Amino acid sequence: MRKYRQRVRPEWIDYNGHLSEAYYVLVFGLATDAVLDQVGVDAAYRADTGCSVYTVEAHVRYLREVKPDSDLVVTSRIVGIGARKVRICHEMAVGGTLVATEEIMALHVDSKQGGTTPFPDAVAERLTALIEPPPDYAGRSIG
């Protein structure tokens, strides 16, 4: 998978002087979009089919503070798929140091029909070809 890169913007810095928690999630969302673009669930696909992918569950771990002007690198992996769902793990790093992780479950939704629908075969095949073993933090609960 391609890595997603993003520089921290000044408006993303909170009153503690580091990246606000909402912007970790924003960057992970942009990384999810990059994954979807890579497998063909891009803007043209959404326009042509009326289908998209909706995140329905996410677990974020904030491991290190991120300073202003940091260069973020998000490595993503597909760790599971079903007919109508995909599970993705993202790892965010700064200068090679892991600063946050996110695990998401997303559903393939037909916006016109208002419900989930199976991925087209070509998309399912692309996703399946990218499956990697889940990292050790995947599937954990809060506690």
Side-chain angles (χ1 to χ4, degrees), residues 65-79:
E65 293 179 4
V66 174
K67 303 293 185 195
D69 298 318
S70 294
D71 290 314
L72 306 172
V73 178
V74 179
T75 303
S76 304
R77 65 178 100 174
I78 307 295
V79 298

Side-chain angles (χ1 to χ4, degrees), residues 94-116:
V94 174
T97 298
L98 186 65
V99 297
T101 67
E102 182 185 53
E103 177 182 8
I104 69 162
M105 177 67 67
L107 299 178
H108 186 244
V109 174
D110 183 331
S111 300
K112 294 175 187 171
Q113 300 297 321
T116 61

